[in-house]
Amino acid sequence: MKIAYFSTQMPFPPRHGGLVDDWARLRAFKAAGARLALTTWYADAGQPPAPEHIQALQSVAEVVHTLPIGPSLPERLMRLLRLVHWPSHVSSRIPSRQRQAQLWSSLDAFAPDAIWLDALYPTVLAQAAAKRYGVPLFYRSHNIEHLYFARQVARSITWRDRLAWSMNLPHLEQVERATWRAAHTVFDISMDDLQTWRQQGHHNGQWLPPLVQPATADSLSAPMDREPRYDVGYLGNLRTPNNIEGVVWLLREVLPLLRQARPDLTLVLAGSEPVQMIRDLVAQSPGVTLLENVPDAASVLRDARVLVNPALTGSGVNVKSVEMLFTAARIVSAPQGVAGLPDHVRACFSVAADAPGFAQAVIDSLARGPLSPELELPTRLQARREFDFTRIERVLAVIQAATARQ
């Protein structure tokens, strides 16, 4: 099975949840025997990806194209002109004619059996590829994008962020709905999002949760050789508006309540690119440690007795919640942190919607100590099986059945 795989951003190195999800799926396809031609985009001021990053991509795909989201003035002007028809993130992933010609020449030689669109924004090129080769399109939906971006705009803390998020809203809902219609099957990250689309008449969706790489699962669930250093731990990016909102709520509303019950409680926040507001709040909060851009998520997730996900808004599925399931820690989450997951997985979390309830759930979790091997660990083990690599074999079966009918 040869799949032309269009990924919205460089999946390696997997520095945050969306990239972790994408990279694990590429690895799973490769492990299941699929042959991949990968097209992806980078935006590091026009600087091409490091050679070692290209080598990592070549370890999963036999053909690799990395395209720039160009920083030059002509490229910026072209993207602005395209805003008449496309959201900014879609506009930035429509290559020049020259780059498209090079891509088509390579893909013509590859001769894909199917097209995989991973996240919405390369949809123009992915749909063109499906038409060019007369093969079905499969779309991996990470969010209900038009709702996700509207919520990020509403929660942006600076006018620059608000403007940046807003530029992707025009035409976004129309493009998203058109992509659902164009796809043979949509593999949605979230059960909740999938139900929303079905209620709106889109019945070509299936649930495909984030997959956890076997090595990651092993490192997260390995026997502990020492006690965790922190009582409470959080891992996630510290720059997107919804994550900022959740962490600020944790520090301002929940932490004072935790201090009343446990004055010596320790909390670690780990994540990429923390905004100044979070830095300032951490500086004002004794017992709180900030770890920036940690290279190894497992070392953080295994270093707290209780893991928390204070996400108050969002869409899709929180990849960090899935990874937390593979640790031995107890987990406390706001409702959004378990959104999109089946009930038996949600049962592994203590869920609370307000600050007093969240704080009490953390205190209770600390008091309960380690998971009970007889009563609680089997439930956790059953939940983990939902995110096993072998699930990709079901996806390939759907793709193979569709291509056989072409």
Side-chain angles (χ1 to χ4, degrees), residues 187-244:
F187 293 97
D188 203 304
I189 193 172
S190 165
M191 284 186 139
D192 295 348
D193 291 356
L194 187 59
Q195 182 61 26
T196 297
W197 287 113
R198 285 174 177 166
Q199 291 169 352
Q200 297 177 14
H202 297 277
H203 298 289
N204 57 326
Q206 298 185 20
W207 184 50
L208 176 60
L211 306 178
V212 177
Q213 297 186 58
T216 301
D218 290 345
S219 64
L220 288 169
S221 58
M224 297 290 291
D225 56 5
R226 62 173 176 80
E227 285 293 310
R229 288 182 296 171
Y230 303 99
D231 294 315
V232 181
Y234 167 88
L235 176 68
N237 86 70
L238 299 171
R239 55 180 173 74
T240 55
N242 61 323
N243 279 14
I244 295 169

Side-chain angles (χ1 to χ4, degrees), residues 21-279:
D21 180 33
D22 194 0
W23 181 242
R25 193 159 36 260
L26 283 162
R27 295 285 303 273
F29 271 127
K30 171 73 172 180
R35 297 173 59 191
L36 302 177
L38 173 64
T39 302
T40 188
W41 281 259
Y42 61 90
D44 294 333
Q47 295 299 314
E52 59 269 26
H53 297 169
I54 297 295
Q55 289 172 5
L57 299 182
Q58 291 170 337
S59 73
V60 295
E62 58 191 74
V63 177
V64 173
H65 292 274
T66 57
L67 301 176
I69 298 176
S72 71
L73 181 58
E75 289 169 310
R76 290 176 184 269
L77 289 174
M78 181 58 69
R79 291 205 300 273
L80 287 173
L81 290 173
R82 292 195 189 113
L83 293 180
V84 175
H85 302 289
W86 305 108
S88 64
H89 285 11
V90 174
S91 172
S92 65
R93 288 165 177 82
I94 302 176
S96 67
R97 289 181 181 179
Q98 179 182 4
R99 288 198 174 102
Q100 283 196 47
Q102 294 169 347
L103 175 66
W104 293 139
S105 176
S106 176
L107 289 182
D108 288 350
F110 181 73
D113 301 308
I115 308 299
W116 183 274
L117 171 62
D118 213 277
L120 179 65
Y121 300 111
T123 185
V124 172
L125 205 54
Q127 290 189 55
K131 184 176 181 180
R132 182 182 182 92
Y133 301 111
V135 299
L137 170 69
F138 299 88
Y139 168 40
R140 163 47 168 211
S141 176
H142 291 246
N143 293 293
I144 301 178
E145 295 289 340
H146 63 277
L147 296 181
Y148 174 76
F149 268 80
R151 291 164 182 164
Q152 298 288 36
V153 170
R155 284 157 179 82
S156 295
I157 60 176
T158 69
W159 70 267
R160 288 180 183 274
D161 280 347
R162 192 171 299 112
L163 177 62
W165 288 97
S166 295
M167 287 183 68
N168 202 49
L169 278 175
H171 314 295
L172 182 55
E173 183 174 356
Q174 299 95 304
V175 170
E176 191 168 14
R177 292 186 184 281
T179 301
W180 268 80
R181 291 192 297 269
H184 177 280
T185 305
V186 178
F187 293 97
D188 203 304
I189 193 172
S190 165
M191 284 186 139
D192 295 348
D193 291 356
L194 187 59
Q195 182 61 26
T196 297
W197 287 113
R198 285 174 177 166
Q199 291 169 352
Q200 297 177 14
H202 297 277
H203 298 289
N204 57 326
Q206 298 185 20
W207 184 50
L208 176 60
L211 306 178
V212 177
Q213 297 186 58
T216 301
D218 290 345
S219 64
L220 288 169
S221 58
M224 297 290 291
D225 56 5
R226 62 173 176 80
E227 285 293 310
R229 288 182 296 171
Y230 303 99
D231 294 315
V232 181
Y234 167 88
L235 176 68
N237 86 70
L238 299 171
R239 55 180 173 74
T240 55
N242 61 323
N243 279 14
I244 295 169
E245 177 190 40
V247 172
V248 169
W249 177 75
L250 176 67
L251 294 176
R252 286 181 173 170
E253 305 296 330
V254 177
L255 185 58
L257 300 176
L258 294 174
R259 290 268 185 253
Q260 291 177 14
R262 288 191 173 227
D264 58 347
L265 179 137
T266 55
L267 166 66
V268 60
L269 300 175
S272 59
E273 304 174 45
V275 298
Q276 191 60 45
M277 176 184 290
I278 290 178
R279 294 179 191 276

Side-chain angles (χ1 to χ4, degrees), residues 229-230 238 268-272 274 289-294 300 303:
R229 288 182 296 171
Y230 303 99
L238 299 171
V268 60
L269 300 175
S272 59
T289 299
L290 176 62
L291 302 178
E292 299 184 29
N293 304 313
V294 291
V300 175
D303 214 9

